[in-house]
Amino acid sequence: MNYDAKLDAALQRLHDEGRYRVFIDIERENGKFPHASWHKPDGSQQPVTIWCGNDYLGMGQHPDVLRAMHEAIDATGAGSGGTRNISGTTVYHKRLEAELADLHRKEAALLFTSAYIANDATLSTLPKLFPGLIIYSDALNHASMIEGVRRNGGAKRIFRHNDVEHLRELLAADDPQAPKLIAFESVYSMDGDFGPIEAICDLADEFGALTYIDEVHAVGMYGPRGAGVAERDGLMGRLDIINGTLAKAYGVMGGYIAASAKMVDAIRSYAPGFIFTTSLAPAVAAGAAASVKILKQDQALRDKHQEQAKILKTRLKALGLPIIDHGSHIVPVMVGDPVHTKQLSDMLLDQYGIYVQPINFPTVPRGSERLRFTPSPVHGPDEMDKLIRALDELWAQCALNRAELSA
């Protein structure tokens, strides 16, 4: 077996399809986000503005977050020193879990090293706790949820994206006595559309199912204290398990679930992805706790974030650029071809100093390739003007289609 030849062939397929991913070496500069330096392959550097980051609110450089991290690292050192069960639980982890439980008005919360691991570990563990469990999963759920459902060895049903009637049909067709769980998201990050939380909770009540919601792209940004779309809509108490991240709006790292004390206790006791993983560094936990606490009280920052998204979408629509607008903070500009998407990304970076990563298959379906912009409160008018001019010029230069403008 020529293993190198197999690797060459696998990589060449990605090149041929125009979806080979290239790391862009970005150095963020403290206090200047979204501005950064691009370390180019030739060794030179070029100033860039980041338009695709997940640090949605700029909290990764908030002075109070940095102060908390410095204090923790000075007090405890770099790492946690072990798993949560073996020397890796500190006062910083407990404080953060308490902040998160309070945020979601749940009895308890459980930290993981990422929201991906939180989804995968929790969803793959639930059938151990509820033998015969059937999981009903939205067709566009994140890869981490898909992986957790796939690995758990239990029964699964995939319902069409946000199709409550299809979900009802699937629930009605199964044994009424079987344990059930519905897994879905509040904000789907590629199109920026919202999940029908209330309708799904109604079905869960009717069919005796548990509910599992991924609020990764909503925590910090929606609701009066930043607990997510479910909090905004007054539905948080109807959800059994809430998954969130500390790496997006909160600007640090890590993931978590919030649920009843019994549910959290069972997951921490049975999930290999939790049991056998070194815990977050205390400094990371301290910074995340500070960020969560700050955003519980900063509605003005959330309002500014939504305003920025609305402004960008309005200006892109005025140019006739084909965007998807479901009313969230996600701003996808559709291109529809992997090669063209990569070329646009490269030209924006090289010619205009604007960094936005191409989004290609398998992250999105073939034919729906796009550039996904994530405006933040720290993107000023000058950055916005520069982005609009660049996109207008490139759309004309590349002879790309523009959307029909409504009268």
Side-chain angles (χ1 to χ4, degrees):
M1 172 67 71
N2 186 336
Y3 293 103
D4 282 345
K6 294 292 186 182
L7 294 174
D8 288 339
L11 292 170
Q12 189 59 48
R13 285 197 299 273
L14 297 178
H15 284 287
D16 292 342
E17 295 173 14
R19 58 187 187 93
Y20 177 78
R21 289 178 167 90
V22 177
F23 286 145
I24 305 298
D25 188 354
I26 296 293
E27 182 178 355
R28 289 166 40 128
E29 187 174 346
N30 185 19
K32 294 187 177 181
F33 182 76
H35 299 286
S37 293
W38 171 32
H39 291 253
K40 303 172 75 169
D42 63 7
S44 63
Q45 294 185 37
Q46 177 179 326
V48 297
T49 302
I50 300 173
W51 274 98
C52 60
N54 282 337
D55 188 356
Y56 289 127
L57 303 177
M59 293 300 292
Q61 300 192 12
H62 192 289
D64 291 347
V65 173
L66 301 185
R67 187 179 303 112
M69 296 184 75
H70 280 296
E71 289 174 357
I73 200 168
D74 288 342
T76 67
S80 69
T83 66
R84 288 293 298 276
N85 289 314
I86 305 176
S87 81
T89 294
T90 71
V91 65
Y92 300 99
H93 298 88
K94 300 302 288 182
R95 285 176 186 165
L96 176 53
E97 287 175 337
E99 283 284 357
L100 294 167
D102 172 76
L103 174 69
H104 293 290
R105 305 299 191 195
K106 297 297 185 186
E107 292 178 338
L110 188 65
L111 281 174
F112 294 81
T113 50
S114 72
Y116 187 107
I117 298 299
N119 272 334
D120 184 9
T122 303
L123 288 168
S124 63
T125 298
L126 287 169
K128 300 176 187 176
L129 307 175
F130 307 104
L133 180 69
I134 304 171
I135 295 183
Y136 302 81
S137 180
D138 189 286
L140 293 189
N141 276 342
H142 189 266
S144 58
M145 301 174 77
I146 293 171
E147 185 66 13
V149 172
R150 184 189 66 80
R151 289 199 311 108
N152 68 28
K156 64 178 183 291
R157 312 282 187 261
I158 309 301
F159 62 94
R160 291 187 293 271
H161 177 54
N162 280 351
D163 190 333
V164 178
E165 288 308 311
H166 187 219
L167 174 58
R168 169 183 284 281
E169 292 172 12
L170 295 174
L171 286 162
D174 282 318
D175 180 357
Q177 300 305 313
K180 302 174 178 67
L181 178 138
I182 305 170
F184 63 109
E185 300 184 35
S186 63
V187 180
Y188 290 84
S189 63
M190 288 300 112
D191 286 350
D193 55 332
F194 294 97
I197 302 175
E198 185 171 18
I200 287 177
C201 288
D202 289 344
L203 281 180
D205 290 345
E206 181 180 346
F207 289 93
L210 295 170
T211 49
Y212 184 106
I213 190 170
D214 180 310
E215 289 256 38
V216 159
H217 288 275
V219 290
M221 296 173 285
Y222 295 86
R225 299 200 309 156
V229 178
E231 183 193 33
R232 181 197 70 180
D233 296 347
L235 299 167
M236 201 158 53
R238 300 184 66 185
L239 296 158
D240 294 294
I241 305 174
I242 299 173
N243 168 276
T245 185
L246 302 164
K248 292 182 170 61
Y250 294 117
V252 191
M253 178 185 176
Y256 63 90
I257 60 167
S260 68
K262 285 183 180 179
M263 182 71 77
V264 166
D265 195 19
I267 295 297
R268 78 167 187 88
S269 299
Y270 280 88
F274 175 82
I275 295 169
F276 298 105
T277 299
T278 298
S279 64
L280 288 171
V284 171
S291 187
V292 172
K293 188 173 183 178
I294 292 164
L295 286 180
K296 286 178 181 178
Q297 306 170 49
D298 199 341
Q299 185 59 39
L301 194 61
R302 278 188 283 280
D303 291 342
K304 180 64 175 176
H305 181 226
Q306 292 295 321
E307 179 187 351
Q308 289 287 81
K310 288 177 183 176
I311 291 171
L312 179 57
K313 286 186 281 192
T314 298
R315 296 188 66 177
L316 292 173
K317 288 176 184 177
L319 295 177
L321 267 61
I323 77 166
I324 297 176
D325 183 6
H326 289 288
S328 73
H329 61 283
I330 304 291
V331 186
V333 178
M334 306 305 290
V335 181
D337 177 270
V339 174
H340 291 162
T341 307
K342 179 67 167 63
Q343 289 173 341
L344 282 168
S345 173
D346 290 344
M347 287 188 285
L348 282 167
L349 184 63
D350 189 54
Q351 299 175 26
Y352 297 92
I354 291 170
Y355 173 41
V356 56
Q357 193 72 12
I359 307 293
N360 292 330
F361 179 84
T363 307
V364 295
R366 297 180 194 275
S368 67
E369 293 81 6
R370 66 198 66 183
L371 299 173
R372 192 190 66 152
F373 297 90
T374 53
S376 77
V378 293
H379 284 94
D382 290 343
E383 288 90 357
M384 187 85 72
D385 289 344
K386 185 177 179 181
L387 173 64
I388 295 298
R389 284 196 302 269
L391 288 172
D392 192 21
E393 291 172 9
L394 287 179
W395 237 254
Q397 177 183 330
C398 299
L400 293 170
N401 290 331
R402 302 203 185 220
E404 289 289 335
L405 295 178
S406 58

